[in-house]
């Protein structure tokens, strides 16, 4: 299925090159795409421009070092980086280590399932479209929630996004991984 | 092991992804997600929304030296943070709070034991050991309480909670959880700090003590 790799989004191709080949050119491409967005995002979530650059540096180094835990069957590059950025920001701002769920690691050498990866990318694209189609005030609430500006009580009163189809895609990726982890342990 | 019936509310998963849950509740959510594929999927869906928000955020130019500074550090040696694996009934996030040690039980009477793992101005995380037939020690909620079952089960006015189930209680819930017959019930209880000050300080003063 490796011929399908060229159908993946640019970000996914860069990230896989970083993960599997430690490709520095791909890392630079990721930096050029994500670092300015990360800086804007971190400033919006309350950091000074100077502090934001420190966090961007931290996030980019984490991307390089933790690349092995990126699984394109379950997460878009942007979703994976989003969680790293929130974690690093909180770790630095609150000086505490954020508790993380146990990691389910993709074992090296497992054939990628291109249709699952492309399916997830498609769902994520539709989610982004749904977000863009929201009324501005509704969209602002969603952005505030994911920028970390709302408590869970405030989030529970917001109108939900349609997350059903992306959930079923992620579930397929998770089932595939669980199945393989089980096979490997036997 | 029976299936999980009581899950993390969706708004809490979104808040966990965004990092706005107090540490104590984040421990409970991360532990539940470690045990529950359904909530892991829901959490990863929230991360996808976060990723979409990140991608659509207006870019702000980074300083010219940032890229070189990062590239120069790629080969630096670094020590990965220790990863705490699940140990018996204790999921990784709880092992991390315990720094890999075993629970240090303190007797509370009637066979009930507890181990306070963390306690600060923002909340507390404790393990509770309740022999079958015993009630959870008398408590009221003046804030939020999340209870995650790790072994055995308990029942209260709202239902039965088995391994992996999470109960969310707030000031509106008056309950008397009792450990079911069988194995002793071991659970993780996370509260925010207000519960601790309930009996000591008039409610009006509480906000002063929260931070
Ligand atoms: Zn769940
Ligand atoms: Zn209670």
């Amino acid at each position: 299925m490796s011929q399908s790799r060229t159908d993946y989004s640019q970000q996914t191709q860069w990230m896989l090159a970083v993960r599997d080949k430690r490709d520095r050119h791909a890392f630079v491409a990721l930096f050029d795409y994500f670092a300015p967005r990360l800086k804007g995002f971190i400033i919006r979530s309350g950091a000074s421009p100077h502090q934001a650059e420190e966090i961007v540096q931290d996030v980019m180094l984490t991307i390089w070092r933790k690349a092995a835990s990126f699984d394109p069957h379950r997460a878009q590059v942007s979703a994976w980086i989003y969680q790293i950025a929130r974690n690093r920001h909180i770790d630095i701002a609150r000086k505490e280590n954020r508790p993380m769920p146990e990691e389910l690691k993709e074992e090296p050498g497992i054939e990628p399932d291109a249709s699952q990866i492309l399916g997830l990318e498609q769902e994520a694209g539709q989610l982004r479209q749904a977000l863009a189609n929201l009324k501005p005030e509704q969209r602002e609430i969603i952005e505030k929630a994911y920028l970390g500006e709302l408590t869970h009580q405030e989030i529970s009163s917001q109108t939900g996004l349609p997350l059903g189809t992306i959930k079923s895609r992620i579930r397929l990726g998770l089932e595939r991984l669980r199945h393989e982890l089980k096979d490997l342990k036997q | 092991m029976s299936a999980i019936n009581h899950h993390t509310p969706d708004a809490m998963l979104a808040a966990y992804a965004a990092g706005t849950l107090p540490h104590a509740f984040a421990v409970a959510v991360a532990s539940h997600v470690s045990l529950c594929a359904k909530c892991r999927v829901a959490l990863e869906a929230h991360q996808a929304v976060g990723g979409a928000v990140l991608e659509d955020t207006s870019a702000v130019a980074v300083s010219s030296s940032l890229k070189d500074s990062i590239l120069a550090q790629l080969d630096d040696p670094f020590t990965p943070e220790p990863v705490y694996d699940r140990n018996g009934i204790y999921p990784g996030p709880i092992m991390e709070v315990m720094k890999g040690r075993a629970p240090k039980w303190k007797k509370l009477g009637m066979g009930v034991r507890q181990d306070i793992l963390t306690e600060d101005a923002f909340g507390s995380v404790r393990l509770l050991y309740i022999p079958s037939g015993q009630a959870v020690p008398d408590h009221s909620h003046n804030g939020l309480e999340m209870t995650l079952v790790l072994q055995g089960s308990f029942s209260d006015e709202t239902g039965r909670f088995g391994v992996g189930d999470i109960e969310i209680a707030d000031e509106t819930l008056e309950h008397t959880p009792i450990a079911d017959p069988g194995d002793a019930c071991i659970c993780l209880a996370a509260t925010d700090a207000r519960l601790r000050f309930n009996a000591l300080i008039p409610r009006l003063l509480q906000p002063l003590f929260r931070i």
Side-chain angles (χ1 to χ4, degrees), chain B residues 4 16 27 39 43 53 69 77 80 82 88 101-102 110 116 120 126 142 147 162 166-167 176 186:
Chain B
I4 295 174
Y16 173 80
V27 173
C39 287
L43 171 63
V53 172
S69 155
R101 67 166 169 81
M110 309 294 281
I116 299 174
D120 63 17
R126 70 190 66 207
N142 197 12
T147 309
I166 200 157
E167 181 179 53
T176 314
I186 297 179

Side-chain angles (χ1 to χ4, degrees), chain A residues 58-162:
Chain A
D58 218 87
V59 170
M60 291 308 303
L61 283 170
T62 305
I63 291 169
W64 177 257
R65 289 165 180 166
K66 293 197 72 180
S69 67
F70 170 68
D71 179 357
H73 302 94
R74 284 159 51 211
Q76 284 271 282
V77 180
S78 60
W80 187 69
I81 293 181
Y82 165 78
Q83 196 62 80
I84 292 174
R86 289 307 299 145
N87 289 348
R88 295 312 296 153
H89 189 175
I90 293 152
D91 288 353
I92 290 166
R94 295 200 207 141
K95 301 201 173 18
E96 70 182 25
N97 242 349
R98 230 171 72 87
M100 304 279 284
E102 288 168 13
E103 227 166 78
L104 307 172
K105 262 219 180 74
E106 184 88 18
E107 295 293 327
I110 286 176
E111 259 311 280
D113 178 345
S115 69
Q116 164 66 15
I117 296 172
L118 291 168
L120 183 61
E121 288 194 337
Q122 205 178 0
E123 287 303 333
Q126 281 163 12
L127 180 65
R128 236 176 123 182
Q129 197 52 52
L131 203 56
N133 292 343
L134 290 175
K135 291 192 194 110
E137 59 272 20
Q138 209 180 356
R139 192 185 152 139
E140 203 189 314
I141 293 174
I142 303 262
E143 287 177 352
K144 274 188 171 172
Y146 291 93
L147 282 158
E149 291 170 10
L150 301 183
T151 65
H152 73 273
Q153 291 98 331
E154 290 164 330
I155 292 172
S156 53
S157 59
Q158 84 182 21
T159 48
L161 279 165

